[in-house]
Amino acid sequence: MVKISVVISIYNVENYLESCLDSIINQTLSDIEIICIDDGSTDNSLSILEEYSKKDNRIIVFSQNNKGAATSRNLGISHAKGKYLYFMDADDILKWTALEETYNYAIKYSADVVMFQAINWVSSEDRYYKTDIYDMARIVKFYDGGVFDYKDLDDLIFHIPVTPWSKIYKTNFIKEIGARFPDGLIFEDNIFYWDVIFNAKRIAFYEKCLYIRRRHQNSIISKGTKNFVDSIAINNLMIDRFKKYGEFDKFKETLYNRKVNLTYNRFVEIDSEFEEFYFNKLHEDYENVVSKGLYADYIQNLDNRNKTIFQYCLDSNTHVEFKYKMAYWDSKVTRSRLTNENKSVKSKNKELMDINKLIKKDNSLIKDSNLVLTNLNETLNKDISIIKQDNENLKNEKNEFLKENADLRNEKETVLKENADLRNEKETVLKENADLRNEKETVLKENADLRNGKETVLKENADLRNKNNTIFKENISLKEKNEFILKENDKLLKDNAFLKENYKMVLTEKNDFKKKNSHLINEHKSMNEKISSLINYVDEIIMENNMLVENNRKLEDELLQEKIKVSVVIPVYNVEEFLGECLDSIVNQTLKDIEIICVNDGSKDKSLEILNYYAANDDRFIVIDQENGGHAVATNRGMELARGKYLYLMDSDDFVELNTLEEAYNYAEEKDVDFVIFQSMNYVTDEDRYYKAENYSMEKVADFVGDSVFNYRDLGDLIFNITVTPWSKLYRTNFVRDCGATFPEGLIFDDNIFFWDVLFSAKKIAFLRKHLFNRRWYSYSSTTAGDQRFLDSIDINNLMIDRFKKYGAFEQHKKTLYNRKVNMTYNRFVDIKPEFEQMFFEKLHDDYKKVVNDGYYEDYLSVLDNRNKSIFEYCLNSETYIEFKYQMAFWDASQTRKKKDKVIGELQRENKAIKNDVSTLKNEKNNLKNERDSLKNEVTKLKKDIINENNLKNQIKTLKDENIHLKNENIALENKNNKLGKEISQFKSSNSWKITKPLRKIKKNL
């Protein structure tokens, strides 16, 4: 038997159709038929339907020319064989348990109609959001179970969505009343809805969100097409339905206002090219209203704005005039508000004008600066060309230096090796000397410590003797006072006995002895006053005695705290494998004045034997054995027994550095604080590996506070960067007791609550920037076990929020607290073992329901980030842990896909940039090759020039030598000439020259 017929009208939804069909064919209710009507799609929608119909014989495919969703749905109704009928939109998604749950609910109440909730999904943003209409918030408040009809709802009928996909219908009921979608119109859901709602005798409401309404730009109701004019006809048909079923007069005011408002909204939303067409239709409709004599009826029932729309539409001749009038009316409504805003704007404008003046002035300066920069750039370009030339020269020099440097490096390596050998030899000697010095200092220190220890013990013994003598004297004084009180009491008893006798005598002789009786009464009053005075005195003595006892106790505590500097509390449960290493790290602390309180919490292994062994060999141990009550119970009991000045809480599977307590104690004393925080290391047992982590190193906190003393108010949000673990802190014992901090019993993750109590109560805190603790990680630790106790994380987070409220810090940190709660509890759900998942989910679901019922739903949504908001909403809306896991897996997958797409996009851009860089480098390489070849040619040319220049130098030298030789010859010739000149002068002045003068003339003539 077919239980539900699913009818889907399809038109051009290839991008969304598969997700829609998948949500139907995978329904947990399998006895269904899926009637798909392709309404003349022009994309691949029909092909997708045919593919799915081949895989699933429940799918029946019809194909028709485009006639609209109404015709398609009516065709589906005529072919439906199921007991119930469901209409699905082809671009939406139905939750996979929806049909089974609503069918069972319909059968339970024999319902004609079952309504359920829906949620909106903006697919482009992957964002979910609720609306009152789809969530049916008013119906939720009204509905208290069972069935109802429209008469029970009154005006709530207008607060139910008309959409058919938020309901399932009994098929015979739909066919009997003849309910159909009006063909050829959009917004056709309205008419079908009113036919159904007025005829249904048994309506049920299933309070659960089962439908995901996709919001996208391609939706027909968001396009603003010409079909928007159908809203006029639809509203008139709706009024006809109310008249048909006799409900018009009751809801007339609502119907008229809805009609005018909705049709005007469609006019506003329609594309501009269809505005005139729409206006004409609307104007014609309102003229029909007038012609039917309904004008006064409309005016009487319409509110101000709708009355204005109605009147303006009637009075306007064009759509432009209508728009203008409505714009003018809307502007009048907001004018007074805008006037006030304008004053503010004018003031701001004045400020902006002043700023603009400054900007203009700055722009002038910038222009001048740009001119200077241009000149500088020209100068720089010249300098760059010079530098490039210099670089070329330097490259040549660099090549020469590289060769020389290679030889120098080899020489340097040889020298370095020799130096290294000498340093190693020196370090060996220094180390041996240092070891000897350290050994000597250790012996001297031990001797000094022994001497100081002996003197301290002697001094303490002397102080104790003095204090004991004082106490002994005070006790003797108290004994004497007590003896005096006892004697006085005896006297009072005797006096009371005497008074009783006298009182009897007075009673028998009352009339005769009135004066005596009066006198005795006065004496009796006096005696009572004495007794009262003595009682007060005794009370004072007792109070004084109690004070002395209390002072004596405090004195003993102070003496113990002077003796016991630190109480180490270690709760122990089944840790025989690691307990020895833990205890060794405590026993061998450099601070010896400690007590070690070990609480065996019902261990079933050899842990208790190990504790008793250590206790037998070290009198500082106190071993408590109890039935298993949990970490909190054991720790609280150990804290009660602590007698040391400071308190240290240790985990029995971890270990500390040997100087931890001494370092922390000295720092606490130096800073005089309520507690000291220090850093920790992680240790992975299976890998024998240490590593640091921010949550235990707390470097951000360390950087912020330095060595100053602080409290939580100084830190702001950094309080969440401090690890809650108690083993990373040393507390002053009296401070912990005064603030009443304990571990919540019966829960794991109990460290959280203790931490917030001490943090908010502490006036002075210090941070010691040293790693003093080693946190062991192994597979079967209680915090990694993933067992049923993980459910405690929900209670712990709620208790933590309560603590913030208690100490007045909630509002400041609300956002962080809500996000931490949702994120941490979800992480525990992910980590828990499969057999406990449903249990965890149910508890988390109940917790979130309580959040909603307590009125904090919007408070959470306003501060949760996207992922935590999804966790919160999915948990609320899921019926089972499987559905919750499926929805979160889907959400995480979509986020991962987005991240991958983003990474791919970035990689593609990076790849493109790299390709460009490679191309640039190739070009650069080619340019460098060309430059190299050019340089080689230039070098060859220079070599030739140098050779030629050398030849010229030789030639010049030869010429210079020749020149010198010629000069010397020239000088010799000049000297010779001079000499000849002198000889000629002498010869001419001689007698021989004179005698031969006639002969020379004859010769010349001849």
Side-chain angles (χ1 to χ4, degrees), residues 895-941:
Q895 295 302 307
T896 303
R897 190 160 54 248
K898 285 181 181 178
K899 288 178 182 176
K900 283 183 178 177
D901 291 344
K902 187 178 179 182
V903 170
I904 288 167
E906 289 175 356
L907 288 172
Q908 286 174 343
R909 287 191 292 274
E910 187 178 343
N911 194 22
K912 188 177 178 181
I914 289 169
K915 284 180 178 178
N916 291 335
D917 290 344
V918 168
S919 177
T920 303
L921 288 169
K922 283 181 178 178
N923 292 334
E924 189 178 341
K925 183 179 178 182
N926 292 331
N927 290 336
L928 287 170
K929 282 182 177 179
N930 293 333
E931 288 177 7
R932 183 195 62 191
D933 294 340
S934 175
L935 286 170
K936 281 183 178 179
N937 293 333
E938 191 176 342
V939 168
T940 303
K941 185 181 175 183

Side-chain angles (χ1 to χ4, degrees), residues 75 88 98 210 267 322 346 357 366 402 477 543 707 718:
L75 180 64
M88 177 83 180
L210 299 175
F267 171 70
F322 179 42
K346 283 178 181 177
K357 287 178 183 177
I366 289 166
L402 284 172
S477 175
M543 285 178 64
D707 61 354
L718 280 176

Side-chain angles (χ1 to χ4, degrees), residues 1 255 268 282 546 559 675 768 777 852 958 998:
M1 183 186 79
L255 289 166
V268 171
L282 188 61
N546 289 337
L559 290 170
F675 68 91
L768 177 58
W777 290 98
V852 176
T958 303

Side-chain angles (χ1 to χ4, degrees), residues 5 22 219 647 791:
S5 296
D22 288 340
S219 171
L647 178 67
L791 272 71

